[in-house]
Amino acid sequence: MTFISTSAPGKCILFGEHAVVYGHPAVAVAIDQRITIRIQPSATGIWLLDGGTLNMARNPHIKGLIDKLWPVSEGAPPLSIHIDGNIPRASGLGSSSALSVAFAAALRLARGRWVENEGDSSQNNWAEGFGSSVSGSDAYGESKGFFSQNDQEKMFLLTGENSVDADENAILAHSVEAAAQNGRASPMDSSTCSHGGVVVISDQIESELSYLYRRELSMPDGKQTWHIHELDLGVVSDDVYLVIGSTGVSAPTSKQVAKVANMLKQNPDRMEEIETIGKIARRGIDALICGDYDAVGRTMTENQIMLKSIGVSSPELDALIKAAAPSSLGAKLTGAGGGGCMVALTKNPKITSDAIELAGGRTLISKLGSTGMMINSPNNDAFWTKK
Ligand code: PMV
């Protein structure tokens, strides 16, 4: 039976968490752990997830993408979806973004896409266009111009790899992440999981990096704008690894962000510490560009000192970081803190991983900057296209 399979990596933050909320740059890297999705038309005529009935309410990212890309009301058939992967859930490693990116790509392949051909086939324009709005609107709705496909001189169908695009997957994933999180989500996870490599997000254009795009989102507390960049690592030294250690303690990102906001409200002078994290992140970016991993590690450790000072580390994180320190180039918490994960940069992944496990953490080992969204299936002809 025909099937489509796609995958996307998780991510971890190397520099700048929390300060990014106040406009400073943050650096995220795609990790080797991935989510893989496989879809095929459902043989039973009902939506299936891993063999059981798909519960749309419990799977908001999946539902959001079906609403945008797969118009059941117009005859798009129910699908059977399988999810596989090794990104731990709810641990700040981007599992929901990786799922959203991979599923967006799979749905896009499963229906192909219409593009406007304005004479020059190298200049095909996407027929729909997206905004990172959180609404569940059909991506092919009239306002997006899809209906002009009848004008065959202007429109034609792309199938297979040509019908997906990393920017578009990132924006689709961002919009369903925001919808699943009460309208709030930064594009850091969705962009890193879609593009792979190393992604830098900032409230300004960073001139030393390659610019990808600008993202805007109207959130409950106002419109936010982010500038997303790619950082080219060049030749990554073969012997440098990330070891990610999970404390097993769950600490919601929203609570940690609110904690920092309260601290700043009570002591506005402490914005200096946030600014210091911003400066450290810029030094981290320079060290990554130069491929100076000793400096990258040192800068991570400095970043951790400041994260601890603003109150987002925890005894469990401190214990894992301390255990990793002797065998690594540097270590810090990654993500929101308070629990969740830490990350160490090391040339001795086995020794660092053992030390973290001995201190009570569960570990993952990854190279820096894994490949972004990938198509794994050999044939990717559309299952269904609008007549
Ligand atoms: O825990 P994560 O990976 O979702 O990262 C949170 C990063 C923060 O800077 C703390 C919050 C944010 O929105 O950027």
Side-chain angles (χ1 to χ4, degrees), residues 11-13 16-22 26 91-94 177 181 184-189 201 219 226 251-254 256-257 260 307 312 333-337 340-341:
K11 71 98 197 20
C12 93
I13 301 177
E17 49 272 268
H18 287 288
V20 68
V21 174
Y22 301 91
S91 50
L93 299 179
E177 284 256 282
Q181 296 170 179
R184 284 189 186 81
S186 100
M188 179 152 47
D189 286 21
I201 180 169
M219 302 210 282
W226 298 272
T253 298
S254 55
Q256 294 297 107
V257 171
V260 175
L307 287 164
V312 294
L333 68 84
T334 182
C341 294

